[in-house]
Amino acid sequence: MKKYDPKTLEPKWQQIWAETKLYEVDNDAQNKEYVLDMFPYPSGAGLHIGHVRNFSISDTYARYQRQHGKRVLHPMGWDAFGLPAENYAIKTGTAPQISTKQNTDNFRRQMQTLGFSYDWSREIDTSAPEYYRWTQWIFLQLFEMGLAYQAENLQWWCETDQTVLANEQVEAGKCWRCGNPVTKKPLKQWFFKITDYADQLLDGLDDLDWPEKIKLMQRNWIGRSVGAEISFELLDASFEKKIDVFTTRIDTLGGATFLVVSPELANTWLEAGWQADDEVKKYILDSLKKAEIDRQDTAKEKTGVNTGLNAVNPLTKTNIPVVVADYVLGGYGTGAIMAVPAHDERDYEFAQKFKMPIVEVIEPVLTQTTGSATFRHNEPAQDSHGVIALIKHWSQDKYIGLSWPDAGWGTLLTGGIDEGLTAEQTVRKEILEETGFRNIKVLRQIGTIHSKYYHEPKKANRFGHAPTFYVELENGERDQVSEDEKQKHEIKWLTKAELEGFLTATSHAQAVKMFEGQVYNGEGILKNSGDFSGQESALAREKMTTKFGRERVNYKMRDWLISRQRYWGAPIPIIHCPKDGAVAVPADQLPVELPELKDFQPSGDGRSPLAKVKDWLEVGCPKCGGPAQRETDTMDTFACSSWYFLRFINPHDDVQAWNKNDVDAWLPVDTYIGGAEHAVLHLLYARFWTKALRDSGHLNFDEPFKSLRNQGLILASDGRKMSKSLGNVIDPLDLINEGYGADALRLYELFIGPYDQTVAWNPNGIDGTKRFLNRVYAIVQEHLSQDSGFRIQDSESSLETALAIATNKTIKKVTVDLESYGFNTAVAAMMELVNEMYKLKVDLPLGSDAWRDNFKLLVQILAPFAPHITEELWQQLDGEGSVHISTWPAWDENLVKDDLVTIVLQVNGKVRSQIEIEAGASEDAVKKLAAADENLNRHLQGKTVIKTIFVPDKLVNYVVK
C-alpha cells in the first residue's frame, strides 16, 4: 500500500492548483464571501509559526465557504513600507526596494508551501508606485475635503527612529516600533481630521460583529463625554480674563474648591507674558517632557504647584486657588478642570497631599437591584426617614451585622426616626432595643444616604433617607432584648472584609465605604450648593448648565498625525509655494515617486532624507509656476493599510483606484481576521477613511469590515513571545522539510486551543496531528486495496448504520464548530470519527460502497483543515473535480438524534430538581429549560444567584446567598 509522503504529495497539488487557477475568482460578486487577513509586514525574518496560525484560521474558513458554493475572494499582499526596511538600509546600505522584494519573495514562497488558497493574481505591494499613487490620490481627496491639514505643536519624537509618532503609537512613553523612550518636540506636521468623524466612529460600533473588547478599546480611545463648559473668572491676571473648564458633573460645582490647569495651558500663559515664579516655570517645563501615559498613571503620586493665582467659583462666589498639575492633559477638554475632591479620586488624593479644602456636595442615592429588596420601578415609593449605624466591638476590630432570615437580608443596624426624636437619639434608642447594649459612644455622623428599595415585611417600595453614624461600644454590658426582636434578626460580629459579602443592602454597603473615606462619584441629592441644595443631581445638572455653563461634547481622541520624517513611505503629495502656500500635486502627476538614494540617514534638521535630494525637492508651483519645494515628510504606513481591502478588487487598474461598481458589490469585507494589537490604529483609521470616501462619493458603504475575529498568540515552548533576538522563533518550512508537512502543521495550529486564546507551542504536539493524517491515509489505502464494489451482508447492516451515524454526527459537529470558529473541537471530532472507523473495520470489512461513501464524506469535512492530503484522497476515491469546490456534505437528521440525558438542578450543592434534554445541549439551552422548572424557582425565590456551575450533560448548580 502507498504510504503518506507529504514531501511529494504537497508540492504536486500546489502546482496543480496554480496551473488550474483553482483559487482565482473574477469580479462577479454574486453569492460572494470576502475573507481577508490583516496583510503582513514582510520582515527579513520571514513567517514563523505564530503567523501560520492566523493564516490557517482564515484559509480554513475560506475553504469551508467555497465548499458551500460561495464565490470566495481570499487575496494576499504586503504592507511593505515602514521603518525596519529603512533602518536596515541605514545599517547595510541595501536599498529598501531591494530588501523588500527579497522579503516578499520569501513570504510568498513560504505561504505557497503552506498551501494557503490565496488568489495570487491579486497580489499587491504598498511600496509599489502603482499602489501608493492611489494612496496619494486619497490624500488629495481628504485635502480637498478639509480633512488633511498642517499644524505646528508639540509632537512625540522618537530619537532612535528620527521621526514623530501619533498618540496611538506611543505605548507607556515608548515608541511602538523600537521600544525606546520618546520626548515632545515642536514641529509642523500633517494631520487627518479624524475627530470630525468621532460620533460616527463611536455610534457605528454598535452594529459591528466584532469582539466586544475591540469595540470597548475604540470607545475608550474616542472617549466621548457629554457635559458642560463653565467659565471661572481669573483674578489679578493681565494675560487672561477667565479659565474655561469642561466637566461632566456640573452638579458638583459647589464642591469645586480649586482649579487645576494642565502644563500645556499654563505654558501658553507663560508665552502670553505671565510672570510666574521660577518654581512654577520649572514644574511646567519638566511636566511637558513627560509621557502622557505616565502622567495619567493613577498609581503615581500626585504632583503640582500653586500658581499664586485665584479664580471665582460662580456658584459659591468664593475665591479658589489655581494650581498646575501634570495629571491634567492639555489635549483633553479645555486643558483645565474644576477639582471636586469630595467626589473625585484624583482630586481627593491631590487635596489630601496639598491640604486643599474638601466639601461634600452629593449625598448618595442608591437603588437596590438585587435580592428580595429589589426596588420595583413600576410601583410608587413612600418616603421614609431612618438611621443607619455602623457599630464597633469594644475590644475587637469587628462590627455588628444583623441577619434577617425571613427577608434574606444582611444589614447594619437600622431603624425609623420617631416623631420628636433626633437622628442621634434614634440611634441610641435602636441600639438598646435591637441589641441590648447600653454603653455606647456616638463618635460622628458619616453622612446621609438615600436609598430606593422594596421593604419585604411591609410589601411596599421605600425611598429612605438615613443619616449614618459611626458608634463604638464601651463594653459588653447589655440588657435583654424582646422576644420579638430576637425572632426578627440575629446579631453577627463581622470584620469589614466579612461585611462586604454579608450586606445585601447597597445603602448599608455604601455606609462602610463612606466610613473608610472612599470617594462617592455617583448620583444623589445636593447639599452645600446654594439654591440647588435638596435637588436630585441629574435634575440639578440641567439647571446648572443653563445658569452657569454651556452644553458641550468632548472627545479624548485627537486628530491622526500622519507625518513621518523618514524615506520609506508614500510621499505626501503637497508642494509648498512661498506665494500660494500648501498646493496639492495635480492628480495627473501622481505618483510622486520616491527617488533612489544611497544615503538613508535623516537630514538631521527634523526633515526626512528626501530633503537632501535637490532635483527631487525643488519644483515649480502648480498654481503660479514659481519656485517651490515638495513636502519632504512621508505618510504614516497606516495610511497605506487604511484602504488596501479596496485595492484588492481592482489591483491592476491603472486608471482608477477601484471600480466603484465592483467595490460596492464585494465590500464590506465579510470576514476579517488578524491580531487585536491594531484596535485603535489600523482598524480605527480604516473605518475613518471608509466613511470619508463615502462622503466624497467614492463609496456606497461606511464600514469596511462586517465581521472581525482576533486570533490568539502562539508563544514559544518556554512561554515567552517568539522573537528572533531570543532565538525561539520556529520557521514553518523547517517543520515541513523535516517531514511533518504543511497539513500536519496547519492542523496542529488549529487543534492547539481555541482560536482566540494565547497558547504555548508544544514541540511534540505536531507529532499527534501527523499520526492522525497517517491513520486517515492508511485506512483509505487499506480500503482501496480491498475495493471490489461488493455490498455488505445483511448481518452487517447494523454496523453499516453505526458507521453512518458516526460520520453524520461528525459532519454536524464540524459544521456547527466551523460556523463558530471552533476549529480545535472540530479537529477533535474528526479524530474521534477516525478512531471509530478503525474499531468498526474489525467487523465491517473494508472495500464496500458504504466505506467508500463515508470516506468521501470524511475527506470533504477534513479538506478545509488539511487541503493537500484530502485532495489526493478525493481523487483516489473517484471524487469529481477538486474536493475544495465539492459541495459541503449535509447530515441526516435521523442519524444524529441523540438520546436524552437527565440534568440535575442544585442550589448550593443540594439537589432541588431535574430536567431532561438532548445530550450535548449548550449551557444556555439547559438554563433556559431550567428557568421554567417550578421546584427550582421555589428554592431560588428571594435569593441572589452569585455563581452558576455548569457541567455538560450532568448538572447545574446555582450558588446563592
Side-chain angles (χ1 to χ4, degrees):
M1 291 189 298
K2 294 181 183 177
K3 288 190 175 182
Y4 174 47
D5 180 14
K7 281 190 174 182
T8 57
L9 186 153
E10 291 179 352
K12 164 190 166 181
W13 285 109
Q14 289 162 13
Q15 183 177 348
I16 293 172
W17 294 334
E19 291 172 352
T20 59
K21 302 181 179 179
L22 182 65
Y23 305 123
E24 292 185 17
V25 63
D26 60 27
N27 274 342
D28 177 2
Q30 292 186 34
N31 197 29
K32 64 95 177 180
E33 185 78 18
Y34 189 174
V35 180
L36 185 64
D37 301 278
M38 289 186 186
F39 70 164
Y41 172 77
S43 70
L47 291 176
H48 59 65
I49 57 172
H51 298 115
V52 175
R53 188 187 200 191
N54 179 29
F55 302 137
S56 295
I57 290 168
S58 68
D59 195 61
T60 300
Y61 190 73
R63 290 179 178 278
Y64 171 71
Q65 292 296 332
R66 279 195 198 91
Q67 287 184 253
H68 276 79
K70 294 291 185 69
R71 293 179 57 78
V72 176
L73 175 59
H74 189 39
M76 177 49 66
W78 318 111
D79 191 10
F81 274 136
L83 288 174
E86 187 168 349
N87 289 342
Y88 183 74
I90 293 171
K91 181 179 179 180
T92 67
T94 304
Q97 289 88 340
I98 295 173
S99 62
T100 297
K101 185 178 185 310
Q102 292 170 344
N103 295 344
T104 56
D105 287 347
N106 184 45
F107 265 59
R108 188 187 310 105
R109 179 177 61 87
Q110 288 179 299
M111 288 181 169
Q112 290 173 342
T113 304
L114 285 156
F116 296 130
S117 61
Y118 295 122
D119 181 351
W120 288 106
S121 70
R122 294 175 183 261
E123 180 182 355
I124 59 176
D125 178 340
T126 61
S127 68
E130 55 267 25
Y131 181 90
Y132 68 73
R133 166 190 178 182
W134 300 110
T135 304
Q136 293 171 338
W137 174 81
I138 297 174
F139 177 96
L140 296 181
Q141 308 309 303
L142 300 178
F143 183 66
E144 186 177 326
M145 297 170 71
L147 296 174
Y149 68 95
Q150 197 175 27
E152 182 177 54
N153 51 24
L154 288 171
Q155 302 299 337
W156 292 117
W157 176 263
C158 176
E159 191 62 32
T160 304
D161 290 328
Q162 287 285 292
T163 189
V164 299
L165 301 169
N167 289 330
E168 299 91 328
Q169 295 165 338
V170 177
E171 300 172 349
K174 296 179 180 180
C175 172
W176 78 291
R177 277 287 192 191
C178 67
N180 290 324
V182 295
T183 57
K184 282 287 184 76
K185 189 172 183 177
L187 291 165
K188 195 171 185 179
Q189 302 291 290
W190 283 94
F191 296 83
F192 286 141
K193 214 169 186 182
I194 192 172
T195 51
D196 276 11
Y197 286 80
D199 285 328
Q200 293 186 48
L201 291 168
L202 191 60
D203 297 339
L205 290 167
D206 295 339
D207 298 326
L208 294 177
D209 177 20
W210 285 21
E212 282 303 318
K213 65 178 181 179
I214 299 295
K215 295 201 279 190
L216 180 61
M217 290 170 72
Q218 289 206 2
R219 288 188 181 107
N220 291 341
W221 186 262
I222 296 167
R224 181 167 66 190
S225 301
V226 179
E229 190 174 277
I230 317 168
S231 294
F232 287 73
E233 180 188 356
L234 189 58
L235 302 176
D236 306 321
S238 59
F239 55 87
E240 185 59 80
K241 298 288 187 186
K242 61 184 175 65
I243 299 177
D244 290 330
V245 165
F246 174 80
T247 178
T248 59
R249 293 298 301 268
I250 194 174
D251 51 306
T252 64
L253 180 58
T257 56
F258 58 101
L259 296 185
V260 186
V261 298
S262 66
E264 290 85 355
L265 178 58
N267 191 51
T268 66
W269 292 354
L270 291 175
E271 293 171 350
W274 177 31
Q275 299 300 309
D277 293 344
D278 289 343
E279 179 190 0
V280 176
K281 289 180 181 177
K282 183 178 186 304
Y283 181 83
I284 292 169
L285 296 177
D286 288 346
S287 297
L288 292 176
K289 297 174 184 176
K290 297 179 182 178
E292 288 184 4
I293 191 73
D294 294 332
R295 288 167 56 182
Q296 294 179 84
D297 185 358
T298 54
K300 180 180 75 72
E301 183 181 2
K302 298 294 179 288
T303 64
V305 62
N306 198 319
T307 64
L309 301 169
N310 288 282
V312 179
N313 184 316
L315 173 62
T316 63
K317 304 302 181 184
T318 56
N319 292 354
I320 58 176
V322 179
V323 301
V324 181
D326 63 4
Y327 74 87
V328 177
L329 305 178
Y332 180 75
T334 63
I337 67 164
M338 63 179 204
V340 186
H343 303 288
D344 183 275
E345 290 284 358
R346 294 184 311 170
D347 298 343
Y348 178 80
E349 292 174 24
F350 192 92
Q352 288 281 85
K353 180 176 179 179
F354 292 95
K355 297 181 170 44
M356 295 290 191
I358 300 174
V359 177
E360 185 181 3
V361 291
I362 301 284
E363 293 177 346
V365 173
L366 303 165
T367 301
Q368 186 73 28
T369 59
T370 59
S372 61
T374 297
F375 185 73
R376 304 184 180 187
H377 290 279
N378 58 341
E379 298 179 14
Q382 182 181 352
D383 279 320
S384 65
H385 297 272
V387 294
I388 299 172
L390 179 65
I391 306 168
K392 187 177 183 296
H393 193 277
W394 56 92
S395 62
Q396 300 178 36
D397 191 19
K398 291 189 174 182
Y399 303 82
I400 287 180
L402 297 181
S403 174
W404 303 71
D406 288 345
W409 291 348
T411 71
L412 301 176
L413 184 137
T414 184
I417 300 177
D418 293 334
E419 188 174 349
L421 293 182
T422 66
E424 183 175 332
Q425 289 170 335
T426 299
V427 167
R428 295 179 180 278
K429 169 178 168 290
E430 291 292 334
I431 291 175
L432 183 61
E433 289 181 354
E434 297 196 15
T435 71
F437 289 109
R438 290 187 283 125
N439 301 316
I440 66 173
K441 291 186 292 185
V442 180
L443 294 184
R444 64 186 173 93
Q445 182 174 338
I446 299 170
T448 298
I449 299 175
H450 309 269
S451 59
K452 297 179 180 180
Y453 63 96
Y454 184 76
H455 195 295
E456 177 66 27
K458 303 287 186 182
K459 305 298 181 184
N461 274 337
R462 290 285 188 265
F463 188 6
H465 312 280
T468 303
F469 294 85
Y470 171 57
V471 177
E472 289 185 356
L473 299 178
E474 294 182 350
N475 52 49
E477 295 180 11
R478 61 190 298 194
D479 296 335
Q480 286 290 330
V481 298
S482 68
E483 287 300 317
D484 183 52
E485 291 293 342
K486 288 181 180 179
Q487 291 292 324
K488 285 193 295 185
H489 52 68
E490 176 187 355
I491 293 176
K492 294 183 178 294
W493 288 104
L494 305 168
T495 65
K496 278 189 287 187
E498 291 169 337
L499 278 174
E500 184 177 345
F502 172 78
L503 297 173
T504 56
T506 53
S507 55
H508 291 218
Q510 180 62 33
V512 178
K513 292 178 182 178
M514 291 168 65
F515 172 69
E516 293 177 329
Q518 293 186 35
V519 168
Y520 178 72
N521 56 14
E523 299 290 354
I525 292 176
L526 269 60
K527 66 178 183 179
N528 298 324
S529 299
D531 295 340
F532 296 93
S533 294
Q535 296 185 17
E536 291 197 29
S537 51
L539 180 61
R541 272 199 295 278
E542 296 179 20
K543 294 180 178 179
M544 284 182 163
T545 300
T546 301
K547 184 169 182 178
F548 300 113
R550 304 161 293 280
E551 287 187 0
R552 289 287 185 271
V553 178
N554 196 54
Y555 302 92
K556 178 185 172 186
M557 181 174 65
R558 305 269 68 86
D559 280 341
W560 173 12
L561 170 64
I562 65 146
S563 287
R564 298 294 178 268
Q565 291 69 49
R566 299 301 295 258
Y567 166 74
W568 194 232
I572 294 175
I574 291 291
I575 293 171
H576 295 282
C577 174
K579 177 184 175 184
D580 296 307
V583 180
V585 173
D588 61 4
Q589 294 182 22
L590 299 179
V592 176
E593 289 199 47
L594 289 169
E596 293 185 6
L597 298 185
K598 292 184 179 179
D599 178 11
F600 298 96
Q601 287 284 355
S603 62
D605 61 358
R607 295 192 295 170
S608 79
L610 293 171
K612 298 183 289 187
V613 187
K614 297 299 182 183
D615 58 348
W616 180 90
L617 178 68
E618 296 176 355
V619 293
C621 171
K623 274 192 176 180
C624 68
Q629 289 191 343
R630 293 190 187 279
E631 172 62 63
T632 58
D633 285 353
T634 52
M635 277 187 254
D636 180 6
T637 56
F638 283 106
C640 294
S641 61
S642 292
W643 74 282
Y644 77 103
F645 46 90
L646 302 172
R647 187 60 176 171
F648 275 132
I649 308 304
N650 308 104
H652 309 300
D653 194 327
D654 60 1
V655 176
Q656 56 192 345
W658 57 81
N659 179 287
K660 190 169 183 293
N661 291 334
D662 290 343
V663 162
D664 287 342
W666 277 106
L667 272 290
V669 172
D670 295 287
T671 303
Y672 197 36
I673 298 173
E677 62 272 17
H678 292 314
V680 295
L681 292 164
H682 161 62
L683 289 170
L684 194 62
Y685 297 155
R687 295 182 64 219
F688 160 54
W689 271 36
T690 300
K691 293 177 187 300
L693 289 166
R694 171 209 60 194
D695 289 347
S696 64
H698 296 292
L699 298 176
N700 282 337
F701 53 91
D702 63 0
E703 288 289 349
F705 314 119
K706 188 188 303 182
S707 174
L708 174 70
R709 296 292 180 267
N710 299 130
Q711 86 282 354
L713 295 175
I714 287 192
L715 305 176
S717 56
D718 58 9
R720 295 184 295 175
K721 190 172 181 178
M722 288 194 182
S723 167
K724 194 175 181 181
S725 62
L726 295 174
N728 58 9
V729 172
I730 300 173
D731 187 332
L733 296 194
D734 289 344
L735 293 169
I736 292 172
N737 293 333
E738 287 173 19
Y740 287 106
D743 285 346
L745 173 58
R746 291 171 53 148
L747 201 62
Y748 177 58
E749 299 242 10
L750 296 168
F751 182 60
I752 196 171
Y755 81 98
D756 56 352
Q757 301 298 308
T758 294
V759 291
W761 178 261
N762 179 351
N764 300 318
I766 192 173
D767 291 324
T769 53
K770 176 66 183 299
R771 281 195 302 272
F772 167 67
L773 294 177
N774 268 321
R775 297 187 79 211
V776 171
Y777 195 84
I779 195 171
V780 173
Q781 301 313 305
E782 187 180 351
H783 160 78
L784 292 171
S785 69
Q786 300 178 28
D787 186 0
S788 59
F790 69 85
R791 297 296 299 168
I792 65 167
Q793 302 298 315
D794 290 342
S795 61
E796 297 166 337
S797 61
S798 61
L799 294 173
E800 182 184 29
T801 301
L803 175 61
I805 288 172
T807 303
N808 275 263
K809 284 186 175 182
T810 307
I811 292 170
K812 181 178 180 180
K813 172 67 173 169
V814 173
T815 304
V816 171
D817 286 351
L818 277 176
E819 290 292 339
S820 59
Y821 293 78
F823 304 102
N824 59 320
T825 52
V827 173
M830 289 184 285
M831 289 178 171
E832 291 175 10
L833 173 59
V834 172
N835 287 339
E836 186 65 20
M837 286 177 163
Y838 269 87
K839 291 177 185 176
L840 286 170
K841 83 180 182 72
V842 174
D843 298 310
L844 182 64
L846 294 168
S848 69
D849 290 343
W851 274 109
R852 175 179 292 273
D853 293 343
N854 281 275
F855 282 140
K856 288 177 75 173
L857 293 173
L858 168 62
V859 167
Q860 284 180 292
I861 60 175
L862 180 58
F865 301 83
H868 304 88
I869 188 174
T870 51
E871 190 77 287
E872 179 75 10
L873 294 176
W874 182 253
Q875 302 304 317
Q876 292 180 6
L877 291 165
D878 298 325
E880 185 177 342
S882 169
V883 69
H884 300 301
I885 53 174
S886 67
T887 301
W888 186 262
W891 62 86
D892 185 336
E893 282 291 350
N894 293 320
L895 295 175
V896 299
K897 287 181 179 177
D898 286 305
D899 295 333
L900 295 178
V901 294
T902 299
I903 304 290
V904 174
L905 304 179
Q906 300 179 337
V907 177
N908 286 345
K910 296 182 179 179
V911 177
R912 298 303 186 189
S913 190
Q914 61 185 35
I915 56 175
E916 285 192 340
I917 196 169
E918 184 180 289
S922 69
E923 182 174 356
D924 286 343
V926 172
K927 285 182 178 177
K928 187 175 181 180
L929 186 61
D933 187 87
E934 292 183 5
N935 289 332
L936 175 67
N937 286 328
R938 189 167 63 252
H939 287 90
L940 290 179
Q941 189 173 7
K943 303 292 194 300
T944 301
V945 178
I946 58 176
K947 186 178 181 182
T948 304
I949 301 169
F950 173 69
V951 180
D953 290 343
K954 295 191 179 300
L955 65 85
V956 183
N957 181 25
Y958 297 86
V959 181
V960 302
K961 65 175 183 179

